[in-house]
Amino acid sequence: MRPKPRLRLRPRPPAPSGVRRLARRHPGALLALFLCSTGGALAALALPAALGHTVDGLVGGGPVPWAGLLLCAVLTLAETGFDAGAAVLTTSTGARLTAHLRTRTTARVLAAEPRRALAVPTGDLTARLTARTADAATAPVTAAGAVAGVLLPLGAIVGLFVIDPWTAAAFLLGAPLLVALLHTFTRRTADAGADYQRAQSVIAHRLTEALDGADTIRAARTGAREYRRILEPLATLADHGRRTWTVYGRAAGQSALLLPLLMLLVLAVGGLRLHTGAIGVGDLVAASRYAALAVGIGSLTGALGALARSRAAARTLDPLLTLDPLPHQGLGPVPGGPGRLELRDVGVVQDRKREGNKDGEPDGKPLLTGVHLTVPGGTSLAVVGRSGSGKSVFAAVVGRLLDPDTGTVLLDGVPLTAMDPALLRPEIAYAFARPALPGTTVEDTIAFGPWTAGPAAVREGARAARADGFVGLLPYGYATPLTDAPLSGGERQRLGLARAFAHPGRLLILDDALSGLDTVTEHHVRRALDERAGRSTRVIVAHRLSSAARADQVLWLEDGRVRATGPHEELWADPEYRAVFRTETDEAEGMAEAEERAGAGADTALPRARTEEVEAR
């Protein structure tokens, strides 16, 4: 029995990114990191004063100042312990924040309408969900740990003033130059880091494209050209990398020149004050230690650089974290409905709404226009048409993988846009030409869905999809890890079909999901589909004549418009309708010949399905 999803009446409000929001996830750990950093800084600031007082006691010729020596030892151990604790907390808290940010960003992407989420290229999206989230999540940790970097130099300057104002004044002479150095470093590092991340995204996107189209590349023998295309941005990436290291190098070189000069100036003034008797030997020792801590402000460059990279990464995540979830009114499907599907003047355009369009009118190529159709519950509908006619877009709209720009889609009289996605998803099963196969084992893959299908449902679904035969030949059957299961294109399709059959709902949508099956297997799968008559509505994006012939009704699309609807037997009298299947057959045979010549041995329908998927997006 499928579990009842939780009802959510309203979509969550947009969740902006930022250091504050991340900090609220683990306030205890960040507070402990702050305390450790502060404790270490305070111990480091107290140590010069204690050391100076102890030196004065030793130089004075009196008894050995054991109390002072003990205090110095305690302060040294405290500083070491606090620094070690800060290091551990920095690593562990950073890992937890990264995991949280990745989960939250992925959830926002999955909850949004796919057309909005997929506006970001796949490779760039992958880079943002991996490397960018790791960079952005370090901001709260870096900010909490940077307290020591700020407290140490400021406290050291105060210590210099307490010991002798003249030594402090000597240090402050060079402070403006040091502040200017840090400001320039931070700004240039942020710019270089953002450019570097953009170049990485370009490479990731091109690599993902090549992996998705590996069969096509192999068939066309364009591997060398793709290799050059993917690696072309490496020159730009190298330039940005060199610019980043140039910024670091200049900052390090300028710091290496400026900081010793400041230290030398403080010691020179302190030596003169010691010579005149204004300060003692212990004060000079303490002043030298404070001067060393004060010039340590240059260590802030690392923290500032990390914060700059975090900000640049966070800006790339903002478009994902502000994606609106699918709107709804908290409604659910009519209990026990037959799956009656209605489309009322549905229209879809290719592009997202233009940002500068104040009227909010969609802009781009029409993919569907004025589709008006009713599919009785429990019947089957075959969607046919030439490539680019809008078949996959239609399949996405009727299952609410895509919201139409105009018109309404209803399931048993309830608009899809009014239904809570958590209540709608269990009622719709999808199968694709190139299904994703999540899960560790074959059984996990078939069981994956709105609810986890049980072993009996998994095996029943596999039998309906004619997948049980080749699964039984795998080393461990259904327990075989996917990494150890070499699958052809047709076998992957059958696993996708098995997953759809294992999660029965009132609506079953097959988006070219039979294209990789041989004739015998397709016949058995169609019998399994026919057995669902009266129990679920079946929408089948069809390229083969047999799919249209066995459907109760055929929807013929042409350039995104409804050319005709009706039984296949009636439409077959139209020679242009017959030409649709001849065109599709010729295209499939031509691609098969190309695959055979290239020795790819892959499914000929997969590159075409990928092309249609890209066009639909």
Side-chain angles (χ1 to χ4, degrees), residues 160 164 166-172 260-273 279 284 287-292 294-295:
L160 287 176
D164 182 52
W166 288 99
T167 56
F171 177 82
L172 292 178
L261 288 178
L262 287 176
M263 185 74 176
L264 181 62
L265 182 60
V266 170
L267 291 178
V269 173
L272 291 175
R273 298 289 287 171
I279 60 174
L284 180 60
S288 65
R289 294 284 300 171
Y290 280 129
V295 298

PDB file of all heavy atoms in Angstrom, residues 160 164 166-172 260-273 279 284 287-292 294-295:
ATOM      1  N   LEU A 160      50.739  47.584  22.730  1.00  0.00           N
ATOM      2  CA  LEU A 160      51.847  48.509  22.484  1.00  0.00           C
ATOM      3  C   LEU A 160      51.573  49.868  23.111  1.00  0.00           C
ATOM      4  O   LEU A 160      52.480  50.508  23.673  1.00  0.00           O
ATOM      5  CB  LEU A 160      52.072  48.660  20.975  1.00  0.00           C
ATOM      6  CG  LEU A 160      52.722  47.482  20.251  1.00  0.00           C
ATOM      7  CD1 LEU A 160      52.773  47.745  18.752  1.00  0.00           C
ATOM      8  CD2 LEU A 160      54.136  47.239  20.785  1.00  0.00           C
ATOM      9  N   ASP A 164      54.084  51.418  25.756  1.00  0.00           N
ATOM     10  CA  ASP A 164      54.728  52.693  25.435  1.00  0.00           C
ATOM     11  C   ASP A 164      54.041  53.274  24.205  1.00  0.00           C
ATOM     12  O   ASP A 164      54.065  52.667  23.127  1.00  0.00           O
ATOM     13  CB  ASP A 164      56.212  52.492  25.156  1.00  0.00           C
ATOM     14  CG  ASP A 164      56.916  53.809  24.858  1.00  0.00           C
ATOM     15  OD1 ASP A 164      56.786  54.753  25.653  1.00  0.00           O
ATOM     16  OD2 ASP A 164      57.572  53.889  23.790  1.00  0.00           O
ATOM     17  N   TRP A 166      54.900  55.514  22.200  1.00  0.00           N
ATOM     18  CA  TRP A 166      55.790  55.808  21.075  1.00  0.00           C
ATOM     19  C   TRP A 166      55.984  54.584  20.170  1.00  0.00           C
ATOM     20  O   TRP A 166      56.063  54.716  18.947  1.00  0.00           O
ATOM     21  CB  TRP A 166      57.138  56.326  21.586  1.00  0.00           C
ATOM     22  CG  TRP A 166      57.036  57.723  22.149  1.00  0.00           C
ATOM     23  CD1 TRP A 166      56.930  58.067  23.444  1.00  0.00           C
ATOM     24  CD2 TRP A 166      56.999  58.933  21.387  1.00  0.00           C
ATOM     25  NE1 TRP A 166      56.835  59.430  23.588  1.00  0.00           N
ATOM     26  CE2 TRP A 166      56.879  59.987  22.323  1.00  0.00           C
ATOM     27  CE3 TRP A 166      57.050  59.247  20.030  1.00  0.00           C
ATOM     28  CZ2 TRP A 166      56.814  61.333  21.938  1.00  0.00           C
ATOM     29  CZ3 TRP A 166      56.991  60.567  19.643  1.00  0.00           C
ATOM     30  CH2 TRP A 166      56.871  61.602  20.571  1.00  0.00           C
ATOM     31  N   THR A 167      56.091  53.447  20.780  1.00  0.00           N
ATOM     32  CA  THR A 167      56.236  52.234  19.950  1.00  0.00           C
ATOM     33  C   THR A 167      54.950  51.970  19.147  1.00  0.00           C
ATOM     34  O   THR A 167      54.997  51.539  17.987  1.00  0.00           O
ATOM     35  CB  THR A 167      56.541  51.019  20.824  1.00  0.00           C
ATOM     36  OG1 THR A 167      55.512  50.873  21.828  1.00  0.00           O
ATOM     37  CG2 THR A 167      57.885  51.178  21.525  1.00  0.00           C
ATOM     38  N   ALA A 168      53.807  52.243  19.781  1.00  0.00           N
ATOM     39  CA  ALA A 168      52.542  52.084  19.063  1.00  0.00           C
ATOM     40  C   ALA A 168      52.439  53.075  17.916  1.00  0.00           C
ATOM     41  O   ALA A 168      51.968  52.728  16.814  1.00  0.00           O
ATOM     42  CB  ALA A 168      51.367  52.258  20.030  1.00  0.00           C
ATOM     43  N   ALA A 169      52.861  54.309  18.135  1.00  0.00           N
ATOM     44  CA  ALA A 169      52.820  55.312  17.077  1.00  0.00           C
ATOM     45  C   ALA A 169      53.714  54.912  15.910  1.00  0.00           C
ATOM     46  O   ALA A 169      53.382  55.150  14.736  1.00  0.00           O
ATOM     47  CB  ALA A 169      53.232  56.676  17.626  1.00  0.00           C
ATOM     48  N   ALA A 170      54.857  54.295  16.214  1.00  0.00           N
ATOM     49  CA  ALA A 170      55.754  53.850  15.145  1.00  0.00           C
ATOM     50  C   ALA A 170      55.074  52.799  14.267  1.00  0.00           C
ATOM     51  O   ALA A 170      55.211  52.809  13.035  1.00  0.00           O
ATOM     52  CB  ALA A 170      57.029  53.282  15.752  1.00  0.00           C
ATOM     53  N   PHE A 171      54.321  51.904  14.910  1.00  0.00           N
ATOM     54  CA  PHE A 171      53.620  50.897  14.112  1.00  0.00           C
ATOM     55  C   PHE A 171      52.510  51.519  13.270  1.00  0.00           C
ATOM     56  O   PHE A 171      52.310  51.165  12.101  1.00  0.00           O
ATOM     57  CB  PHE A 171      53.030  49.825  15.032  1.00  0.00           C
ATOM     58  CG  PHE A 171      52.230  48.790  14.300  1.00  0.00           C
ATOM     59  CD1 PHE A 171      52.855  47.723  13.674  1.00  0.00           C
ATOM     60  CD2 PHE A 171      50.842  48.886  14.226  1.00  0.00           C
ATOM     61  CE1 PHE A 171      52.125  46.781  12.986  1.00  0.00           C
ATOM     62  CE2 PHE A 171      50.108  47.945  13.537  1.00  0.00           C
ATOM     63  CZ  PHE A 171      50.751  46.877  12.914  1.00  0.00           C
ATOM     64  N   LEU A 172      51.791  52.481  13.849  1.00  0.00           N
ATOM     65  CA  LEU A 172      50.660  53.077  13.138  1.00  0.00           C
ATOM     66  C   LEU A 172      51.089  53.892  11.932  1.00  0.00           C
ATOM     67  O   LEU A 172      50.261  54.193  11.062  1.00  0.00           O
ATOM     68  CB  LEU A 172      49.845  53.952  14.094  1.00  0.00           C
ATOM     69  CG  LEU A 172      49.091  53.193  15.210  1.00  0.00           C
ATOM     70  CD1 LEU A 172      48.360  54.158  16.114  1.00  0.00           C
ATOM     71  CD2 LEU A 172      48.114  52.191  14.596  1.00  0.00           C
ATOM     72  N   PRO A 260      58.150  43.310   7.720  1.00  0.00           N
ATOM     73  CA  PRO A 260      59.448  43.407   8.418  1.00  0.00           C
ATOM     74  C   PRO A 260      59.894  44.846   8.670  1.00  0.00           C
ATOM     75  O   PRO A 260      60.522  45.137   9.701  1.00  0.00           O
ATOM     76  CB  PRO A 260      60.412  42.694   7.464  1.00  0.00           C
ATOM     77  CG  PRO A 260      59.550  41.765   6.675  1.00  0.00           C
ATOM     78  CD  PRO A 260      58.263  42.504   6.501  1.00  0.00           C
ATOM     79  N   LEU A 261      59.560  45.755   7.743  1.00  0.00           N
ATOM     80  CA  LEU A 261      59.919  47.159   7.962  1.00  0.00           C
ATOM     81  C   LEU A 261      59.178  47.719   9.172  1.00  0.00           C
ATOM     82  O   LEU A 261      59.761  48.465   9.991  1.00  0.00           O
ATOM     83  CB  LEU A 261      59.596  47.973   6.709  1.00  0.00           C
ATOM     84  CG  LEU A 261      60.508  47.746   5.499  1.00  0.00           C
ATOM     85  CD1 LEU A 261      60.038  48.569   4.309  1.00  0.00           C
ATOM     86  CD2 LEU A 261      61.960  48.104   5.847  1.00  0.00           C
ATOM     87  N   LEU A 262      57.884  47.363   9.293  1.00  0.00           N
ATOM     88  CA  LEU A 262      57.138  47.809  10.468  1.00  0.00           C
ATOM     89  C   LEU A 262      57.723  47.224  11.751  1.00  0.00           C
ATOM     90  O   LEU A 262      57.852  47.912  12.773  1.00  0.00           O
ATOM     91  CB  LEU A 262      55.674  47.399  10.328  1.00  0.00           C
ATOM     92  CG  LEU A 262      54.820  48.181   9.324  1.00  0.00           C
ATOM     93  CD1 LEU A 262      53.426  47.585   9.235  1.00  0.00           C
ATOM     94  CD2 LEU A 262      54.733  49.645   9.727  1.00  0.00           C
ATOM     95  N   MET A 263      58.068  45.950  11.690  1.00  0.00           N
ATOM     96  CA  MET A 263      58.662  45.290  12.859  1.00  0.00           C
ATOM     97  C   MET A 263      59.981  45.942  13.236  1.00  0.00           C
ATOM     98  O   MET A 263      60.257  46.210  14.420  1.00  0.00           O
ATOM     99  CB  MET A 263      58.877  43.810  12.524  1.00  0.00           C
ATOM    100  CG  MET A 263      59.386  42.975  13.677  1.00  0.00           C
ATOM    101  SD  MET A 263      58.104  42.669  14.892  1.00  0.00           S
ATOM    102  CE  MET A 263      58.999  41.583  16.015  1.00  0.00           C
ATOM    103  N   LEU A 264      60.784  46.236  12.242  1.00  0.00           N
ATOM    104  CA  LEU A 264      62.079  46.868  12.490  1.00  0.00           C
ATOM    105  C   LEU A 264      61.901  48.254  13.076  1.00  0.00           C
ATOM    106  O   LEU A 264      62.637  48.666  13.996  1.00  0.00           O
ATOM    107  CB  LEU A 264      62.873  46.937  11.182  1.00  0.00           C
ATOM    108  CG  LEU A 264      64.274  47.566  11.266  1.00  0.00           C
ATOM    109  CD1 LEU A 264      65.167  46.751  12.203  1.00  0.00           C
ATOM    110  CD2 LEU A 264      64.902  47.649   9.876  1.00  0.00           C
ATOM    111  N   LEU A 265      60.913  48.995  12.567  1.00  0.00           N
ATOM    112  CA  LEU A 265      60.679  50.334  13.080  1.00  0.00           C
ATOM    113  C   LEU A 265      60.243  50.301  14.539  1.00  0.00           C
ATOM    114  O   LEU A 265      60.709  51.100  15.367  1.00  0.00           O
ATOM    115  CB  LEU A 265      59.596  51.007  12.217  1.00  0.00           C
ATOM    116  CG  LEU A 265      59.227  52.449  12.570  1.00  0.00           C
ATOM    117  CD1 LEU A 265      60.451  53.359  12.462  1.00  0.00           C
ATOM    118  CD2 LEU A 265      58.103  52.949  11.673  1.00  0.00           C
ATOM    119  N   VAL A 266      59.351  49.365  14.889  1.00  0.00           N
ATOM    120  CA  VAL A 266      58.896  49.245  16.280  1.00  0.00           C
ATOM    121  C   VAL A 266      60.056  48.878  17.197  1.00  0.00           C
ATOM    122  O   VAL A 266      60.229  49.456  18.295  1.00  0.00           O
ATOM    123  CB  VAL A 266      57.769  48.207  16.378  1.00  0.00           C
ATOM    124  CG1 VAL A 266      57.443  47.894  17.841  1.00  0.00           C
ATOM    125  CG2 VAL A 266      56.527  48.704  15.669  1.00  0.00           C
ATOM    126  N   LEU A 267      60.890  47.930  16.782  1.00  0.00           N
ATOM    127  CA  LEU A 267      62.026  47.526  17.615  1.00  0.00           C
ATOM    128  C   LEU A 267      63.043  48.655  17.751  1.00  0.00           C
ATOM    129  O   LEU A 267      63.663  48.826  18.828  1.00  0.00           O
ATOM    130  CB  LEU A 267      62.683  46.284  17.014  1.00  0.00           C
ATOM    131  CG  LEU A 267      61.859  45.000  17.083  1.00  0.00           C
ATOM    132  CD1 LEU A 267      62.606  43.853  16.414  1.00  0.00           C
ATOM    133  CD2 LEU A 267      61.523  44.639  18.529  1.00  0.00           C
ATOM    134  N   ALA A 268      63.225  49.431  16.679  1.00  0.00           N
ATOM    135  CA  ALA A 268      64.173  50.539  16.768  1.00  0.00           C
ATOM    136  C   ALA A 268      63.701  51.579  17.768  1.00  0.00           C
ATOM    137  O   ALA A 268      64.475  52.059  18.621  1.00  0.00           O
ATOM    138  CB  ALA A 268      64.361  51.170  15.387  1.00  0.00           C
ATOM    139  N   VAL A 269      62.420  51.928  17.685  1.00  0.00           N
ATOM    140  CA  VAL A 269      61.881  52.907  18.635  1.00  0.00           C
ATOM    141  C   VAL A 269      61.912  52.344  20.056  1.00  0.00           C
ATOM    142  O   VAL A 269      62.260  53.045  21.027  1.00  0.00           O
ATOM    143  CB  VAL A 269      60.456  53.315  18.230  1.00  0.00           C
ATOM    144  CG1 VAL A 269      59.809  54.194  19.294  1.00  0.00           C
ATOM    145  CG2 VAL A 269      60.474  54.051  16.894  1.00  0.00           C
ATOM    146  N   GLY A 270      61.590  51.047  20.197  1.00  0.00           N
ATOM    147  CA  GLY A 270      61.633  50.433  21.523  1.00  0.00           C
ATOM    148  C   GLY A 270      63.040  50.411  22.092  1.00  0.00           C
ATOM    149  O   GLY A 270      63.247  50.626  23.304  1.00  0.00           O
ATOM    150  N   GLY A 271      64.032  50.132  21.208  1.00  0.00           N
ATOM    151  CA  GLY A 271      65.421  50.147  21.684  1.00  0.00           C
ATOM    152  C   GLY A 271      65.840  51.520  22.159  1.00  0.00           C
ATOM    153  O   GLY A 271      66.542  51.651  23.195  1.00  0.00           O
ATOM    154  N   LEU A 272      65.443  52.572  21.434  1.00  0.00           N
ATOM    155  CA  LEU A 272      65.766  53.936  21.868  1.00  0.00           C
ATOM    156  C   LEU A 272      65.093  54.261  23.192  1.00  0.00           C
ATOM    157  O   LEU A 272      65.708  54.898  24.082  1.00  0.00           O
ATOM    158  CB  LEU A 272      65.321  54.933  20.790  1.00  0.00           C
ATOM    159  CG  LEU A 272      66.108  54.896  19.475  1.00  0.00           C
ATOM    160  CD1 LEU A 272      65.498  55.849  18.459  1.00  0.00           C
ATOM    161  CD2 LEU A 272      67.580  55.273  19.735  1.00  0.00           C
ATOM    162  N   ARG A 273      63.827  53.810  23.348  1.00  0.00           N
ATOM    163  CA  ARG A 273      63.139  54.073  24.612  1.00  0.00           C
ATOM    164  C   ARG A 273      63.770  53.294  25.756  1.00  0.00           C
ATOM    165  O   ARG A 273      63.830  53.787  26.897  1.00  0.00           O
ATOM    166  CB  ARG A 273      61.665  53.664  24.462  1.00  0.00           C
ATOM    167  CG  ARG A 273      60.917  54.444  23.395  1.00  0.00           C
ATOM    168  CD  ARG A 273      60.694  55.872  23.819  1.00  0.00           C
ATOM    169  NE  ARG A 273      59.678  55.936  24.854  1.00  0.00           N
ATOM    170  CZ  ARG A 273      59.387  57.029  25.551  1.00  0.00           C
ATOM    171  NH1 ARG A 273      60.089  58.157  25.348  1.00  0.00           N
ATOM    172  NH2 ARG A 273      58.448  57.025  26.488  1.00  0.00           N
ATOM    173  N   ILE A 279      61.445  52.553  29.240  1.00  0.00           N
ATOM    174  CA  ILE A 279      60.866  51.216  29.404  1.00  0.00           C
ATOM    175  C   ILE A 279      61.961  50.277  29.860  1.00  0.00           C
ATOM    176  O   ILE A 279      63.168  50.581  29.719  1.00  0.00           O
ATOM    177  CB  ILE A 279      60.246  50.703  28.087  1.00  0.00           C
ATOM    178  CG1 ILE A 279      61.306  50.613  26.978  1.00  0.00           C
ATOM    179  CG2 ILE A 279      59.088  51.605  27.648  1.00  0.00           C
ATOM    180  CD1 ILE A 279      60.785  49.987  25.693  1.00  0.00           C
ATOM    181  N   LEU A 284      60.464  45.781  26.626  1.00  0.00           N
ATOM    182  CA  LEU A 284      60.955  45.649  25.245  1.00  0.00           C
ATOM    183  C   LEU A 284      60.623  44.254  24.692  1.00  0.00           C
ATOM    184  O   LEU A 284      60.228  44.122  23.522  1.00  0.00           O
ATOM    185  CB  LEU A 284      62.461  45.888  25.196  1.00  0.00           C
ATOM    186  CG  LEU A 284      63.087  45.782  23.798  1.00  0.00           C
ATOM    187  CD1 LEU A 284      62.460  46.806  22.856  1.00  0.00           C
ATOM    188  CD2 LEU A 284      64.608  45.957  23.877  1.00  0.00           C
ATOM    189  N   ALA A 287      56.984  44.305  23.955  1.00  0.00           N
ATOM    190  CA  ALA A 287      56.716  45.143  22.783  1.00  0.00           C
ATOM    191  C   ALA A 287      57.085  44.403  21.500  1.00  0.00           C
ATOM    192  O   ALA A 287      56.374  44.498  20.488  1.00  0.00           O
ATOM    193  CB  ALA A 287      57.474  46.457  22.891  1.00  0.00           C
ATOM    194  N   SER A 288      58.209  43.655  21.542  1.00  0.00           N
ATOM    195  CA  SER A 288      58.606  42.916  20.342  1.00  0.00           C
ATOM    196  C   SER A 288      57.587  41.827  20.003  1.00  0.00           C
ATOM    197  O   SER A 288      57.272  41.590  18.838  1.00  0.00           O
ATOM    198  CB  SER A 288      59.993  42.307  20.547  1.00  0.00           C
ATOM    199  OG  SER A 288      59.966  41.320  21.574  1.00  0.00           O
ATOM    200  N   ARG A 289      57.055  41.171  21.043  1.00  0.00           N
ATOM    201  CA  ARG A 289      56.045  40.144  20.806  1.00  0.00           C
ATOM    202  C   ARG A 289      54.754  40.748  20.271  1.00  0.00           C
ATOM    203  O   ARG A 289      54.131  40.210  19.351  1.00  0.00           O
ATOM    204  CB  ARG A 289      55.764  39.386  22.107  1.00  0.00           C
ATOM    205  CG  ARG A 289      56.936  38.569  22.620  1.00  0.00           C
ATOM    206  CD  ARG A 289      57.105  37.305  21.818  1.00  0.00           C
ATOM    207  NE  ARG A 289      55.923  36.450  21.890  1.00  0.00           N
ATOM    208  CZ  ARG A 289      55.737  35.370  21.147  1.00  0.00           C
ATOM    209  NH1 ARG A 289      56.646  35.031  20.240  1.00  0.00           N
ATOM    210  NH2 ARG A 289      54.640  34.638  21.283  1.00  0.00           N
ATOM    211  N   TYR A 290      54.364  41.893  20.874  1.00  0.00           N
ATOM    212  CA  TYR A 290      53.142  42.538  20.381  1.00  0.00           C
ATOM    213  C   TYR A 290      53.307  43.046  18.950  1.00  0.00           C
ATOM    214  O   TYR A 290      52.363  43.018  18.158  1.00  0.00           O
ATOM    215  CB  TYR A 290      52.762  43.690  21.312  1.00  0.00           C
ATOM    216  CG  TYR A 290      52.055  43.247  22.578  1.00  0.00           C
ATOM    217  CD1 TYR A 290      52.480  43.657  23.836  1.00  0.00           C
ATOM    218  CD2 TYR A 290      50.937  42.409  22.508  1.00  0.00           C
ATOM    219  CE1 TYR A 290      51.836  43.241  24.991  1.00  0.00           C
ATOM    220  CE2 TYR A 290      50.296  41.984  23.656  1.00  0.00           C
ATOM    221  CZ  TYR A 290      50.745  42.403  24.892  1.00  0.00           C
ATOM    222  OH  TYR A 290      50.099  41.985  26.035  1.00  0.00           O
ATOM    223  N   ALA A 291      54.517  43.522  18.647  1.00  0.00           N
ATOM    224  CA  ALA A 291      54.761  43.973  17.277  1.00  0.00           C
ATOM    225  C   ALA A 291      54.628  42.806  16.295  1.00  0.00           C
ATOM    226  O   ALA A 291      54.080  42.956  15.194  1.00  0.00           O
ATOM    227  CB  ALA A 291      56.142  44.608  17.174  1.00  0.00           C
ATOM    228  N   ALA A 292      55.119  41.625  16.699  1.00  0.00           N
ATOM    229  CA  ALA A 292      55.003  40.454  15.838  1.00  0.00           C
ATOM    230  C   ALA A 292      53.538  40.073  15.626  1.00  0.00           C
ATOM    231  O   ALA A 292      53.118  39.694  14.518  1.00  0.00           O
ATOM    232  CB  ALA A 292      55.762  39.282  16.451  1.00  0.00           C
ATOM    233  N   ALA A 294      51.025  42.202  15.866  1.00  0.00           N
ATOM    234  CA  ALA A 294      50.386  43.293  15.136  1.00  0.00           C
ATOM    235  C   ALA A 294      50.639  43.178  13.635  1.00  0.00           C
ATOM    236  O   ALA A 294      49.738  43.385  12.820  1.00  0.00           O
ATOM    237  CB  ALA A 294      50.872  44.645  15.646  1.00  0.00           C
ATOM    238  N   VAL A 295      51.864  42.831  13.251  1.00  0.00           N
ATOM    239  CA  VAL A 295      52.141  42.679  11.830  1.00  0.00           C
ATOM    240  C   VAL A 295      51.500  41.407  11.288  1.00  0.00           C
ATOM    241  O   VAL A 295      51.430  41.207  10.072  1.00  0.00           O
ATOM    242  CB  VAL A 295      53.659  42.671  11.549  1.00  0.00           C
ATOM    243  CG1 VAL A 295      54.297  43.970  11.964  1.00  0.00           C
ATOM    244  CG2 VAL A 295      54.336  41.487  12.228  1.00  0.00           C
TER     245      VAL A 295
END
